[in-house]
Amino acid sequence: MTLSGPQQYPTELLDTTMDQLRTLIVVHEAGTALRAARLLGREQSSVQKQLDTMNRTFAALCGEELVLKQGRGQDALFTATGEALVGLARRTLDAWSDGVHDARRRLGRTLSVGSTRYTLGFLLDAVERVSEDYARDHVDLKVTHVRTADLFTKLRAKELDLVCGSVVVTEGREAELLAPYEVMEWRRSGLSLLTNLPPDRLPGTSFRAADLTRLPLVLSTRGLISRFLTSWYGPDYRQKLSVAAEIEAAHYGFELLRSGVVSGAMLVTRGIGEAAADGRLPEAGGLRTVRIVGDVGPRTEVLVGVFTRRGERASAPPGHPLNLLWEALSRESGPWWLSS
């Protein structure tokens, strides 16, 4: 049986290093060898020497240099071959970086986890439980803040291995939404209102979802609340509701209502409403909590929990950092009033 020999590559190509590829990318981004040298912490002559080497190499291989010198102070001019190889250099370095990261993750050398604001405390408590194991095994743990809107995106892109947070699930669509993920469910709940309206304007401790159109509302422009309202009213929900103010983060809404600048009711998750009512959310102090009952459209809930890509825990040994943290999170106790 005849075996084919090793793949033959041009010697000049094999002499090209990853450091040279990085230099090519930085010169392309910075515009000149001088600015690239400053970014790389090197002498300009060192950067220029690498460019000259690559120009000779690829002129011989391709018939065209990569970078042409311009007048003093002008940006370097990349040829068509240069532009193409800058893109290839980026993909090459990204692929190697991703490969190294995947190998480290598979071997339990690194773990990237994320959390939304109101679940961070529970994640950190769980991390404390496994800290000795991680220190013994030299696990590189990275903890990142995640917006609700980015939770699944970062899991799909493998930027994160595990996320604590909240998602909106709608009857009839939940199975498809969660199919790619393993989920540890902590809580399901609906919405509440935090309001500065007097009791004669908004009486009682509960309010029908179907009557929301009668209230001046403070609405978050992104995240869970926006998804909830889209499920109930469609993407044009702003035209169907009376919007007193739009905010990007919950604490802005608390400040508007507490200051009296805006009179109305702010839609929040049930967990935030309960935390405010119990005094566990000082920034919402003085605001009254009113529970929303019923639905306007399909049954919609906030699911709070832990999410990871389906199958990854099962394919790893019990002592893998992902499984250790998952187990620690499953033992966490406390009031799951969480939200995002």
Side-chain angles (χ1 to χ4, degrees):
M1 179 178 180
T2 303
L3 297 177
S4 60
Q7 176 70 48
Q8 297 299 309
Y9 298 102
T11 302
E12 298 89 344
L13 181 62
L14 296 177
D15 289 339
T16 302
T17 67
M18 290 190 181
D19 186 57
Q20 288 175 333
L21 296 182
R22 181 182 66 160
T23 296
L24 185 68
I25 293 169
V26 175
V27 171
H28 186 268
E29 293 174 348
T32 67
L34 177 59
R35 290 198 289 268
R38 289 170 179 166
L39 291 173
L40 292 169
R42 296 178 178 176
E43 296 294 330
Q44 180 182 358
S45 59
S46 172
V47 171
Q48 190 60 55
K49 183 177 179 180
Q50 286 188 312
L51 288 178
D52 292 342
T53 298
M54 284 186 285
N55 270 339
R56 288 194 300 271
T57 296
F58 290 97
L61 290 173
C62 305
E64 183 177 44
E65 293 186 346
L66 305 183
V67 187
L68 302 179
K69 292 182 180 179
Q70 298 287 82
R72 186 177 182 84
Q74 291 184 306
D75 286 358
L77 177 63
F78 278 72
T79 64
T81 300
E83 291 285 352
L85 291 185
V86 165
L88 179 58
R90 285 197 179 97
R91 294 192 296 275
T92 299
L93 293 180
D94 286 346
W96 271 87
S97 179
D98 290 346
V100 169
H101 182 70
D102 287 346
R104 286 178 57 81
R105 183 170 57 233
R106 176 175 52 81
L107 295 170
R109 297 292 182 264
T110 187
L111 189 70
S112 298
V113 302
S115 174
T116 54
R117 177 186 175 190
Y118 295 107
T119 53
L120 180 59
F122 296 97
L123 173 61
L124 295 181
D125 286 345
V127 167
E128 187 174 354
R129 290 177 181 267
V130 299
S131 58
E132 290 186 8
D133 295 307
Y134 282 15
R136 182 194 64 227
D137 297 334
H138 305 289
V139 176
D140 180 17
L141 176 67
K142 295 180 173 63
V143 180
T144 304
H145 172 259
V146 180
R147 289 184 176 274
T148 298
D150 300 329
L151 190 154
F152 286 149
T153 301
K154 290 187 177 293
L155 280 175
R156 283 195 302 270
K158 295 188 177 181
E159 294 179 34
L160 296 173
D161 304 308
L162 175 148
V163 180
C164 297
S166 310
V167 296
V168 172
V169 292
T170 303
E171 187 176 21
R173 303 175 190 168
E174 178 178 342
E176 180 181 359
L177 175 70
L178 300 180
Y181 310 103
E182 183 176 2
V183 181
M184 181 193 303
E185 185 173 321
W186 283 340
R187 172 178 177 163
R188 287 174 183 256
S189 66
L191 299 182
S192 290
L193 295 167
L194 289 180
T195 184
N196 61 1
L197 294 173
D200 61 341
R201 179 82 185 278
L202 180 53
T205 58
S206 63
F207 190 82
R208 293 176 64 242
D211 295 330
L212 282 175
T213 54
R214 298 196 289 107
L215 292 177
L217 297 174
V218 176
L219 302 180
S220 173
T221 58
R222 61 177 69 185
L224 294 175
I225 302 303
S226 176
R227 283 173 164 74
F228 229 103
L229 295 177
T230 299
S231 174
W232 278 355
Y233 297 100
D236 59 342
Y237 63 84
R238 290 176 179 82
Q239 281 68 54
K240 300 175 182 178
L241 298 170
S242 176
V243 181
E246 287 190 306
I247 56 173
E248 290 191 357
H251 65 273
Y252 292 129
F254 302 152
E255 292 176 11
L256 283 174
L257 292 174
R258 292 181 68 187
S259 68
V261 171
V262 172
S263 294
M266 177 179 169
L267 278 168
V268 296
T269 61
R270 185 75 47 79
I272 285 184
E274 292 171 357
D278 294 344
R280 288 179 280 125
L281 202 61
E283 56 263 48
L287 300 178
R288 190 161 53 94
T289 298
V290 178
R291 183 186 180 106
I292 294 178
V293 295
D295 287 274
V296 177
R299 181 175 177 80
T300 303
E301 296 175 303
V302 176
L303 188 161
V304 187
V306 187
F307 306 84
T308 189
R309 288 178 292 277
R310 187 174 296 280
E312 290 203 358
R313 284 202 324 108
S315 64
H320 189 281
L322 178 60
N323 282 325
L324 292 177
L325 184 56
W326 185 274
E327 178 62 25
L329 285 164
S330 72
R331 297 200 307 269
E332 274 298 300
S333 60
W336 295 111
W337 53 274
L338 313 167
S339 176
S340 176

